[in-house]
mmCIF file of all heavy atoms in Angstrom:
data_model
loop_
_atom_site.group_PDB
_atom_site.id
_atom_site.type_symbol
_atom_site.label_atom_id
_atom_site.label_comp_id
_atom_site.label_asym_id
_atom_site.label_seq_id
_atom_site.Cartn_x
_atom_site.Cartn_y
_atom_site.Cartn_z
ATOM 1 N N LYS A 961 -113.237 -10.503 -12.212
ATOM 2 C CA LYS A 961 -112.878 -10.856 -10.843
ATOM 3 C C LYS A 961 -113.405 -9.813 -9.854
ATOM 4 O O LYS A 961 -112.828 -8.735 -9.705
ATOM 5 C CB LYS A 961 -111.364 -11.004 -10.685
ATOM 6 C CG LYS A 961 -110.804 -12.291 -11.284
ATOM 7 C CD LYS A 961 -109.328 -12.443 -10.977
ATOM 8 C CE LYS A 961 -109.062 -12.943 -9.586
ATOM 9 N NZ LYS A 961 -109.025 -11.950 -8.536
ATOM 10 N N LEU A 962 -114.487 -10.168 -9.203
ATOM 11 C CA LEU A 962 -115.075 -9.301 -8.187
ATOM 12 C C LEU A 962 -115.075 -10.024 -6.840
ATOM 13 O O LEU A 962 -116.005 -9.886 -6.050
ATOM 14 C CB LEU A 962 -116.505 -8.909 -8.588
ATOM 15 C CG LEU A 962 -116.674 -8.273 -9.977
ATOM 16 C CD1 LEU A 962 -118.146 -7.994 -10.252
ATOM 17 C CD2 LEU A 962 -115.852 -7.002 -10.097
ATOM 18 N N ASN A 963 -114.002 -10.779 -6.579
ATOM 19 C CA ASN A 963 -113.981 -11.636 -5.387
ATOM 20 C C ASN A 963 -112.792 -11.421 -4.460
ATOM 21 O O ASN A 963 -112.746 -12.007 -3.377
ATOM 22 C CB ASN A 963 -114.021 -13.117 -5.804
ATOM 23 C CG ASN A 963 -112.759 -13.560 -6.531
ATOM 24 O OD1 ASN A 963 -112.164 -12.798 -7.281
ATOM 25 N ND2 ASN A 963 -112.361 -14.794 -6.311
ATOM 26 N N THR A 964 -111.821 -10.607 -4.845
ATOM 27 C CA THR A 964 -110.632 -10.474 -4.002
ATOM 28 C C THR A 964 -110.291 -9.022 -3.665
ATOM 29 O O THR A 964 -109.187 -8.728 -3.193
ATOM 30 C CB THR A 964 -109.413 -11.157 -4.660
ATOM 31 O OG1 THR A 964 -109.287 -10.700 -6.014
ATOM 32 C CG2 THR A 964 -109.558 -12.663 -4.652
ATOM 33 N N ASN A 965 -111.203 -8.107 -3.916
ATOM 34 C CA ASN A 965 -111.053 -6.696 -3.529
ATOM 35 C C ASN A 965 -109.816 -6.020 -4.108
ATOM 36 O O ASN A 965 -109.245 -5.113 -3.502
ATOM 37 C CB ASN A 965 -111.077 -6.544 -2.002
ATOM 38 C CG ASN A 965 -112.392 -6.996 -1.398
ATOM 39 O OD1 ASN A 965 -113.384 -7.124 -2.104
ATOM 40 N ND2 ASN A 965 -112.397 -7.252 -0.099
ATOM 41 N N GLU A 966 -109.413 -6.474 -5.275
ATOM 42 C CA GLU A 966 -108.337 -5.793 -5.992
ATOM 43 C C GLU A 966 -108.909 -4.551 -6.679
ATOM 44 O O GLU A 966 -110.096 -4.496 -7.013
ATOM 45 C CB GLU A 966 -107.726 -6.727 -7.037
ATOM 46 C CG GLU A 966 -107.040 -7.942 -6.436
ATOM 47 C CD GLU A 966 -107.051 -9.143 -7.364
ATOM 48 O OE1 GLU A 966 -108.104 -9.424 -7.964
ATOM 49 O OE2 GLU A 966 -106.012 -9.802 -7.471
ATOM 50 N N SER A 967 -108.065 -3.570 -6.910
ATOM 51 C CA SER A 967 -108.497 -2.389 -7.639
ATOM 52 C C SER A 967 -108.687 -2.728 -9.116
ATOM 53 O O SER A 967 -107.877 -3.463 -9.695
ATOM 54 C CB SER A 967 -107.473 -1.265 -7.505
ATOM 55 O OG SER A 967 -107.825 -0.161 -8.328
ATOM 56 N N PRO A 968 -109.723 -2.195 -9.743
ATOM 57 C CA PRO A 968 -109.881 -2.418 -11.180
ATOM 58 C C PRO A 968 -109.037 -1.464 -12.014
ATOM 59 O O PRO A 968 -109.013 -1.572 -13.245
ATOM 60 C CB PRO A 968 -111.376 -2.141 -11.400
ATOM 61 C CG PRO A 968 -111.702 -1.092 -10.395
ATOM 62 C CD PRO A 968 -110.866 -1.434 -9.178
ATOM 63 N N TYR A 969 -108.350 -0.555 -11.346
ATOM 64 C CA TYR A 969 -107.584 0.470 -12.050
ATOM 65 C C TYR A 969 -106.085 0.201 -11.977
ATOM 66 O O TYR A 969 -105.592 -0.477 -11.070
ATOM 67 C CB TYR A 969 -107.899 1.850 -11.472
ATOM 68 C CG TYR A 969 -109.365 2.179 -11.551
ATOM 69 C CD1 TYR A 969 -110.146 2.209 -10.404
ATOM 70 C CD2 TYR A 969 -109.976 2.409 -12.786
ATOM 71 C CE1 TYR A 969 -111.507 2.475 -10.471
ATOM 72 C CE2 TYR A 969 -111.334 2.678 -12.864
ATOM 73 C CZ TYR A 969 -112.097 2.716 -11.708
ATOM 74 O OH TYR A 969 -113.442 2.963 -11.788
ATOM 75 N N SER A 970 -105.380 0.748 -12.921
ATOM 76 C CA SER A 970 -103.926 0.643 -12.942
ATOM 77 C C SER A 970 -103.337 1.427 -11.776
ATOM 78 O O SER A 970 -103.931 2.400 -11.305
ATOM 79 C CB SER A 970 -103.399 1.186 -14.268
ATOM 80 O OG SER A 970 -102.005 1.312 -14.265
ATOM 81 N N PRO A 971 -102.155 1.042 -11.304
ATOM 82 C CA PRO A 971 -101.464 1.870 -10.311
ATOM 83 C C PRO A 971 -101.123 3.244 -10.874
ATOM 84 O O PRO A 971 -101.230 3.494 -12.080
ATOM 85 C CB PRO A 971 -100.192 1.064 -10.002
ATOM 86 C CG PRO A 971 -100.483 -0.321 -10.455
ATOM 87 C CD PRO A 971 -101.419 -0.191 -11.612
ATOM 88 N N SER A 972 -100.688 4.114 -10.007
ATOM 89 C CA SER A 972 -100.245 5.450 -10.400
ATOM 90 C C SER A 972 -99.227 5.361 -11.539
ATOM 91 O O SER A 972 -98.279 4.571 -11.478
ATOM 92 C CB SER A 972 -99.598 6.150 -9.200
ATOM 93 O OG SER A 972 -98.742 7.189 -9.614
ATOM 94 N N PRO A 973 -99.402 6.148 -12.602
ATOM 95 C CA PRO A 973 -98.390 6.171 -13.666
ATOM 96 C C PRO A 973 -97.001 6.502 -13.139
ATOM 97 O O PRO A 973 -95.995 5.992 -13.652
ATOM 98 C CB PRO A 973 -98.913 7.261 -14.609
ATOM 99 C CG PRO A 973 -100.394 7.297 -14.375
ATOM 100 C CD PRO A 973 -100.563 7.009 -12.906
ATOM 101 N N LYS A 974 -96.945 7.347 -12.120
ATOM 102 C CA LYS A 974 -95.645 7.694 -11.537
ATOM 103 C C LYS A 974 -95.021 6.468 -10.863
ATOM 104 O O LYS A 974 -93.798 6.279 -10.900
ATOM 105 C CB LYS A 974 -95.807 8.829 -10.539
ATOM 106 C CG LYS A 974 -96.224 10.148 -11.183
ATOM 107 C CD LYS A 974 -96.374 11.252 -10.155
ATOM 108 C CE LYS A 974 -96.809 12.557 -10.822
ATOM 109 N NZ LYS A 974 -96.996 13.660 -9.827
ATOM 110 N N ALA A 975 -95.863 5.628 -10.236
ATOM 111 C CA ALA A 975 -95.356 4.406 -9.612
ATOM 112 C C ALA A 975 -94.844 3.434 -10.663
ATOM 113 O O ALA A 975 -93.791 2.797 -10.486
ATOM 114 C CB ALA A 975 -96.453 3.751 -8.774
ATOM 115 N N LEU A 976 -95.569 3.315 -11.774
ATOM 116 C CA LEU A 976 -95.139 2.412 -12.842
ATOM 117 C C LEU A 976 -93.810 2.872 -13.439
ATOM 118 O O LEU A 976 -92.928 2.051 -13.716
ATOM 119 C CB LEU A 976 -96.212 2.348 -13.924
ATOM 120 C CG LEU A 976 -97.539 1.703 -13.509
ATOM 121 C CD1 LEU A 976 -98.550 1.797 -14.647
ATOM 122 C CD2 LEU A 976 -97.341 0.253 -13.094
ATOM 123 N N THR A 977 -93.665 4.177 -13.616
ATOM 124 C CA THR A 977 -92.406 4.707 -14.139
ATOM 125 C C THR A 977 -91.257 4.441 -13.182
ATOM 126 O O THR A 977 -90.159 4.019 -13.591
ATOM 127 C CB THR A 977 -92.537 6.215 -14.388
ATOM 128 O OG1 THR A 977 -93.539 6.446 -15.386
ATOM 129 C CG2 THR A 977 -91.206 6.802 -14.864
ATOM 130 N N ALA A 978 -91.508 4.672 -11.894
ATOM 131 C CA ALA A 978 -90.463 4.452 -10.893
ATOM 132 C C ALA A 978 -90.031 2.992 -10.847
ATOM 133 O O ALA A 978 -88.839 2.684 -10.717
ATOM 134 C CB ALA A 978 -90.960 4.899 -9.522
ATOM 135 N N MET A 979 -90.987 2.074 -10.979
ATOM 136 C CA MET A 979 -90.646 0.648 -10.952
ATOM 137 C C MET A 979 -89.881 0.246 -12.204
ATOM 138 O O MET A 979 -88.945 -0.566 -12.142
ATOM 139 C CB MET A 979 -91.914 -0.190 -10.770
ATOM 140 C CG MET A 979 -92.475 -0.106 -9.359
ATOM 141 S SD MET A 979 -93.853 -1.237 -9.022
ATOM 142 C CE MET A 979 -95.185 -0.395 -9.892
ATOM 143 N N SER A 980 -90.256 0.807 -13.341
ATOM 144 C CA SER A 980 -89.518 0.517 -14.581
ATOM 145 C C SER A 980 -88.080 0.982 -14.481
ATOM 146 O O SER A 980 -87.156 0.288 -14.908
ATOM 147 C CB SER A 980 -90.208 1.194 -15.768
ATOM 148 O OG SER A 980 -91.489 0.660 -15.992
ATOM 149 N N GLU A 981 -87.889 2.146 -13.910
ATOM 150 C CA GLU A 981 -86.535 2.665 -13.749
ATOM 151 C C GLU A 981 -85.731 1.814 -12.769
ATOM 152 O O GLU A 981 -84.528 1.608 -12.961
ATOM 153 C CB GLU A 981 -86.590 4.118 -13.290
ATOM 154 C CG GLU A 981 -87.138 5.064 -14.354
ATOM 155 C CD GLU A 981 -87.328 6.484 -13.847
ATOM 156 O OE1 GLU A 981 -87.193 6.693 -12.615
ATOM 157 O OE2 GLU A 981 -87.621 7.376 -14.668
ATOM 158 N N ALA A 982 -86.409 1.302 -11.746
ATOM 159 C CA ALA A 982 -85.721 0.444 -10.775
ATOM 160 C C ALA A 982 -85.275 -0.863 -11.411
ATOM 161 O O ALA A 982 -84.203 -1.395 -11.084
ATOM 162 C CB ALA A 982 -86.628 0.173 -9.580
#
Side-chain angles (χ1 to χ4, degrees):
K961 285 186 79 275
L962 306 178
N963 67 325
T964 51
N965 298 343
E966 296 152 316
S967 174
Y969 302 109
S970 170
S972 158
K974 293 180 181 179
L976 294 176
T977 297
M979 287 187 285
S980 295
E981 292 174 351

